[in-house]
Amino acid sequence: RNIDGKAWTKVNPNCGSTSFVVPDLITGQEYFFRVRAENRFGIGPPAETIQRTTARDPIHPPDPPIKLRIGLVTKNTVSLTWKPPKNDGGAPVTHYNVECLRWDRTGEVKESWKQCNRRDVEETKFTVEDLVEGGEYEFRVKAVNIAGPSRPSATVGPLVVKDQTCPPSIELKEFMEVEEGTDVKILAKIKGVPFPTLTWLKAPPKKPDDKSPVVYDQHVNKIVDEDTCTLLIQQSRRNDTGLYTITAVNDLGTASKEMRLNVLGRPGPPVGPIKFESILADKMTISWLPPLDDGGSKITNYVIEKREANRKTWVPVTNEPKECIFTIPKLMEGHEYVFRIMAQNKYGIGEPLDSEPETARNLFTVPGPPDKPTVSSITRDSMTVNWEEPEHDGGSPITGYWLERKETTGKRWTRVNRDPIKPMTLGVSYKVTGLIEGSEYQFRVSAINAAGVGPPSMPSDPALARDPIAPPGPPIPKVTDWTKSSVDLEWTPPIKDGGSRVTGYIVEFKEEGKEEWERVEIRGTKFVVAGLKEGCFYKFRVRAVNAAGIGEPGEVTDIIEMKDRIVAPDINLDASVRDRIVVHAGGVIRIIAYVSGKPPPTVSWSRDEQALPEEAKIEETAISSSLVIRNCKRSHQGLYTLLAKNDGGERRKTVIVDVLDVPGPVGMPLLTENLTNDSCKLSWFTPEDDGGSPITNYIIEKRESDHRAWTPVTYTVTRQNATIQGLIQGKAYFFRIAAENIIGMGPFTETTKEILIRDPITVPDRPEDLEVKAVTKNSVTLTWNPPKYNGGSDITMYVLESRLIGKDKFHKVTKEKMLD
């Protein structure tokens, strides 16, 4: 049983020997045990243990202490230190006993080990006191646990007890690195007799010569022991980083040691102010300087937060920037923002640096258009485009240019460069390659800044992709007209312009028989040479000019005699007329003809070889004659002829005029035929006038005879007959029909008589049972019965006929309607 309990617990079921190992005990628990013998008559009385027994592993005395060392020695004391034994014997070492042996070289005193400590020595150091100065001593130490003392340690000595003097010396680490917030113990081992005076100094890390005494307070304290001096810094801070120097001074000299302490922690705030490199409506670019204090560890990144100026809550932006510049996106135009930046290293995020409030807005606009670009260095597949930067950069520096090109025959501009062309200080040039030889190109340029792409420049002058230029070839001149004192020249540009645009022409002429050519410089391709002599003969030629010089002449093959020219009339119709015109009725017939000839011809108009309609008006100018008929009708169509005459002859021009109108009324007669008791059939003829356009369909309407309103029946009839369904039996109807073409619907034609809708009517069958009832000399009385079928209509009358026997022909007997 345990010592606290009263009940005994049986340990074993049976045991035949006089010893037994009791299992399953609780370590550290104290127990009593008892044993009872048993024979065949029963169990005897118990024998109990007197002392309590603790359940624990077996305990032995510890091993002896190790590394016994002598420290400071004075004239009557010796300081000892040692290390605990490697094996404590199974129980903790409770204390140590220090023993000393005084040597007697004379042999008069018996040598024996004596215990030096009056109280138990619990630490691994002890100062032996009350020694005799000049005595020679040897020392040893024993460790004690609950099982008893150990064997003694190895001895130290013998040692003569006397004052020892030595200059100070210091053992101190050269460098220590700790994390901010931890306690720092800077331990210096001190030697020196007498024990030196100790002073701690501190200098900033970057100013090692600027030393000042350490101020001791609750944060920093100095602890001096027998042979050590500890500078204790509690809850270290970044500003504890520095160069620490300990100085030891005694009568024999001075010693000092330095140690560099680096307290690692979070970085300080970045260096401000925060600069706004660019401000736009939806983003801002900010920059800053790294913190002066990086916390002793490399800055890994910066944390940026933002808040609206009228709010207190900070919103994270990013923790990715590694450089001291960042563009903050997704801002709202017109909102005022404050930003703050914190540096981060592996120990955490430092203090923030806040910006001034700034509003998201555009401070600048896109740049203006550059000047019109020029083209140089032209080859068959490349050109160099040159331009200057725009006068206005929109308030933001030009960052690049987009260059576009198009062929002069096309409308679509194509971008030439994949990436923006970088700006240059003295104008920008860009070589465009991959052009098609013989194609003419234009170029335009757009400038780019932070706000975007500006408007394009004016297109460059067209440039032809071909190899370098030469003087142009000869033009092809001709004389288009002349009088007795002037000549009208025209020419086509040279087939080859020498690789450069023709900039002008030189017209040369000379009187036959003379050698010198007179010349006139012009830009166009027409020129009137005036002031010539009547009756003389002249030669003419034209040269083209380009950037390479004056080309070869193109000569007029004929020699021109100066006299008035007779030119037969010529008529050219306006492009809107051609040989045939089509006009809708109510529109305007306008035939414009340009008439030329020398002398000016007389002009006359006719229609179908007859006089013009009364509505026709003739409008004439110096070069044209126009026939105009306003509000035209179908009757105005026909074959119009223009006749021009002068001394050189005559010329005719004929134009076919078609006037389109709605169709005329449908052809008569308009017939109706009753089909059934709910339908009838209509038939008609096509209109005499289809309006100049084929009839597309007919429109049929109906009305009851006792009504005035017409209702539509169908719009889709294309033939000249139709069956009208859905009529009411017994009702009488009128119908009307109009023809329609692409111009519109013609006038209606109505039925002249109403048609009554009923079952179809045929002639009746013959009367039945004709009999002679009475005969006189000049009369016969007859009777008969009505026919079996009346043909679908009531009998309206009977017709009585007779013939003389021997004759073939019957004659009508009755003259009036006979209903009996």
Side-chain angles (χ1 to χ4, degrees):
R1 70 174 174 87
N2 59 40
I3 61 173
D4 298 325
K6 295 181 178 180
W8 290 90
T9 303
K10 189 175 182 179
V11 175
N12 65 311
N14 51 27
C15 178
S17 64
T18 57
S19 66
F20 184 76
V21 177
V22 180
D24 302 328
L25 300 180
I26 299 172
T27 302
Q29 184 69 268
E30 295 179 325
Y31 293 93
F32 288 109
F33 301 92
R34 70 181 184 182
V35 181
R36 294 191 292 174
E38 184 178 14
N39 63 12
R40 61 190 182 90
F41 294 106
I43 300 173
E48 297 185 17
T49 56
I50 299 173
Q51 292 182 344
R52 63 185 64 181
T53 303
T54 303
R56 62 187 176 189
D57 290 333
I59 299 175
H60 305 286
D63 288 351
I66 59 175
K67 295 184 180 180
L68 180 61
R69 299 283 187 271
I70 295 174
L72 180 64
V73 179
T74 67
K75 63 184 178 180
N76 54 11
T77 63
V78 173
S79 296
L80 302 173
T81 61
W82 59 90
K83 296 292 184 183
K86 293 182 178 180
N87 181 12
D88 62 3
V93 173
T94 58
H95 62 277
Y96 298 93
N97 290 328
V98 180
E99 297 178 346
C100 68
L101 173 66
R102 181 177 179 185
W103 283 31
D104 185 6
R105 301 284 183 181
T106 64
E108 295 177 357
V109 181
K110 183 180 180 180
E111 296 178 347
S112 63
W113 289 94
K114 294 181 181 179
Q115 184 170 324
C116 302
N117 55 304
R118 296 183 181 89
R119 294 192 299 269
D120 294 342
V121 179
E122 296 180 353
E123 297 179 343
T124 58
K125 60 183 179 179
F126 184 71
T127 299
V128 182
E129 299 176 344
D130 300 330
L131 301 177
V132 178
E133 184 177 4
E136 195 171 3
Y137 290 87
E138 194 172 355
F139 301 93
R140 69 184 185 185
V141 182
K142 293 179 181 178
V144 182
N145 68 4
I146 195 170
S150 68
R151 291 177 287 107
S153 68
T155 61
V156 292
L159 172 71
V160 178
V161 177
K162 62 180 179 179
D163 279 336
Q164 294 179 348
T165 59
C166 66
S169 65
I170 303 171
E171 289 184 17
L172 182 65
K173 287 183 178 180
E174 293 184 355
F175 181 75
M176 182 183 292
E177 193 170 74
V178 297
E179 189 172 343
E180 185 178 18
T182 59
D183 293 343
V184 180
K185 292 181 181 179
I186 303 176
L187 178 65
K189 293 183 179 181
I190 309 298
K191 291 182 180 179
V193 181
F195 193 79
T197 302
L198 302 174
T199 306
W200 284 97
L201 303 174
K202 179 186 176 183
K206 297 182 179 180
K207 297 180 180 179
D209 297 331
D210 189 9
K211 297 180 181 179
S212 60
V214 174
V215 178
Y216 304 113
D217 53 18
Q218 292 181 348
H219 178 57
V220 182
N221 197 10
K222 180 175 76 171
I223 301 173
V224 180
D225 209 341
E226 291 181 356
D227 60 350
T228 62
C229 180
T230 302
L231 187 66
L232 176 62
I233 304 174
Q234 297 183 353
Q235 297 291 313
S236 59
R237 308 167 188 155
R238 272 291 293 159
N239 57 11
D240 292 327
T241 298
L243 187 67
Y244 288 85
T245 304
I246 183 170
T247 303
V249 180
N250 69 4
D251 296 339
L252 300 177
T254 302
S256 64
K257 281 278 187 176
E258 292 182 346
M259 191 205 76
R260 188 174 296 276
L261 174 64
N262 191 10
V263 180
L264 305 177
R266 300 180 301 168
V271 176
I274 296 175
K275 294 182 180 180
F276 290 88
E277 301 294 341
S278 71
I279 300 174
L280 295 175
D282 60 345
K283 60 184 178 182
M284 297 187 195
T285 300
I286 58 175
S287 65
W288 60 93
L289 295 175
L292 298 176
D293 179 15
D294 62 0
S297 178
K298 180 182 177 182
I299 300 296
T300 57
N301 60 285
Y302 292 92
V303 178
I304 302 176
E305 296 179 344
K306 70 179 180 182
R307 69 175 175 86
E308 294 192 27
N310 58 356
R311 297 188 179 181
K312 296 182 178 181
T313 305
W314 291 94
V315 179
V317 175
T318 181
N319 60 356
E320 295 181 357
K322 292 180 172 51
E323 303 297 330
C324 295
I325 188 169
F326 185 76
T327 299
I328 301 171
K330 299 180 180 179
L331 303 180
M332 299 179 67
E333 186 174 3
H335 287 226
E336 191 176 37
Y337 291 91
V338 178
F339 304 97
R340 70 179 182 184
I341 305 166
M342 295 159 281
Q344 183 173 5
N345 61 12
K346 68 178 183 179
Y347 296 104
I349 300 174
E351 294 297 315
L353 168 66
D354 288 6
S355 74
E356 294 296 324
E358 188 57 70
T359 303
R361 66 196 189 279
N362 283 326
L363 299 179
F364 44 80
T365 59
V366 296
D371 290 338
K372 179 179 177 180
T374 60
V375 181
S376 62
S377 302
I378 300 173
T379 68
R380 62 184 177 183
D381 61 354
S382 68
M383 299 180 189
T384 299
V385 184
N386 313 287
W387 67 91
E388 299 292 335
E389 67 178 19
E391 292 184 7
H392 304 287
D393 61 5
S396 177
I398 302 297
T399 58
Y401 296 92
W402 289 121
L403 177 60
E404 296 176 296
R405 79 177 187 204
K406 79 173 184 72
E407 294 187 30
T408 54
T409 55
K411 294 182 179 179
R412 184 177 179 182
W413 289 92
T414 304
R415 188 173 288 177
V416 172
N417 48 315
R418 287 187 177 180
D419 300 318
I421 300 169
K422 293 182 180 180
M424 303 176 189
T425 53
L426 299 175
V428 188
S429 296
Y430 188 82
K431 185 176 182 180
V432 181
T433 58
L435 303 179
I436 300 172
E437 184 177 7
S439 295
E440 199 170 30
Y441 293 92
Q442 286 181 291
F443 300 89
R444 68 181 186 184
V445 184
S446 302
I448 308 169
N449 66 3
V453 181
S457 67
M458 291 290 292
S460 67
D461 292 332
L464 192 64
R466 59 184 173 191
D467 286 330
I469 63 173
I476 305 173
K478 65 177 180 180
V479 174
T480 58
D481 198 5
W482 66 87
T483 67
K484 61 185 179 181
S485 62
S486 66
V487 171
D488 290 5
L489 288 177
E490 287 186 11
W491 56 91
T492 56
I495 298 174
K496 295 182 179 180
D497 62 2
S500 175
R501 183 172 61 88
V502 173
T503 57
Y505 296 92
I506 297 176
V507 177
E508 297 179 324
F509 60 95
K510 72 172 182 175
E511 186 178 344
E512 191 175 26
K514 293 185 178 181
E515 294 185 359
E516 292 187 4
W517 292 84
E518 298 184 45
R519 59 193 303 175
V520 180
E521 295 183 7
I522 64 168
R523 291 188 176 274
T525 56
K526 293 181 181 180
F527 186 67
V528 177
V529 182
L532 303 179
K533 297 178 182 178
E534 184 178 0
C536 293
F537 293 85
Y538 285 87
K539 287 184 177 181
F540 300 90
R541 67 184 185 184
V542 181
R543 298 175 184 262
V545 181
N546 68 2
I550 302 172
E552 293 296 317
E555 298 191 4
V556 177
T557 56
D558 298 329
I559 297 175
I560 307 301
E561 182 183 0
M562 293 294 97
K563 62 179 181 179
D564 285 333
R565 180 187 179 199
I566 297 176
V567 179
D570 189 20
I571 302 174
N572 291 305
L573 296 177
D574 188 75
S576 62
V577 178
R578 299 182 182 177
D579 296 331
R580 184 188 189 99
I581 61 172
V582 178
V583 185
H584 288 188
V588 177
I589 299 173
R590 187 184 302 275
I591 304 173
I592 303 174
Y594 298 99
V595 182
S596 62
K598 289 192 175 184
T602 58
V603 177
S604 61
W605 291 85
S606 63
R607 185 189 71 167
D608 297 333
E609 303 297 334
Q610 297 178 3
L612 294 175
E614 294 180 358
E615 297 85 355
K617 304 293 183 183
I618 304 299
E619 299 175 355
E620 292 187 349
T621 67
I623 61 171
S624 68
S625 178
S626 302
L627 170 69
V628 180
I629 302 177
R630 292 179 173 80
N631 196 18
C632 64
K633 304 174 185 177
R634 281 278 290 160
S635 59
H636 292 147
Q637 67 180 10
L639 194 66
Y640 287 79
T641 302
L642 170 63
L643 176 62
K645 290 182 179 181
N646 69 0
D647 296 340
E650 65 178 41
R651 182 74 182 271
R652 291 174 179 268
K653 203 70 174 179
T654 301
V655 179
I656 300 172
V657 177
D658 286 332
V659 180
L660 302 182
D661 200 353
V662 298
V666 298
M668 297 299 287
L670 174 54
L671 303 177
T672 58
E673 180 183 354
N674 189 77
L675 294 179
T676 66
N677 59 3
D678 65 349
S679 65
C680 71
K681 181 179 180 181
L682 300 180
S683 57
W684 60 91
F685 292 94
T686 56
E688 292 182 2
D689 181 9
D690 63 1
S693 177
I695 303 297
T696 57
N697 58 283
Y698 293 93
I699 299 168
I700 303 175
E701 295 182 351
K702 69 180 180 181
R703 72 175 177 85
E704 296 178 12
S705 60
D706 54 352
H707 288 68
R708 292 186 178 181
W710 293 90
T711 57
V713 175
T714 178
Y715 297 92
T716 60
V717 175
T718 57
R719 296 178 296 178
Q720 286 77 48
N721 58 75
T723 300
I724 312 302
Q725 305 283 352
L727 304 177
I728 301 173
Q729 185 176 2
K731 287 283 187 180
Y733 291 90
F734 286 98
F735 296 92
R736 66 180 185 180
I737 303 173
E740 187 172 21
N741 62 10
I742 59 172
I743 306 302
M745 185 179 70
F748 280 104
T749 299
E750 297 184 18
T751 56
T752 55
K753 296 181 181 180
E754 64 182 29
I755 179 171
L756 183 65
I757 304 303
R758 57 187 178 183
D759 285 333
I761 301 172
T762 62
V763 296
D765 289 351
R766 66 182 183 179
E768 300 288 333
D769 304 328
L770 178 61
E771 293 182 2
V772 178
K773 291 296 185 179
V775 178
T776 66
K777 61 179 180 181
N778 56 1
S779 68
V780 175
T781 299
L782 302 172
T783 63
W784 60 89
N785 288 323
K788 292 181 178 180
Y789 177 63
N790 62 6
S793 178
D794 293 339
I795 301 297
T796 56
M797 62 178 290
Y798 293 98
V799 177
L800 184 60
E801 295 178 329
S802 67
R803 71 176 173 86
L804 291 174
I805 295 176
K807 299 290 186 180
D808 293 329
K809 190 175 182 180
F810 278 89
H811 296 278
K812 189 174 180 181
V813 176
T814 55
K815 294 181 181 179
E816 298 178 356
K817 281 189 178 181
M818 182 170 58
L819 294 175
D820 291 339

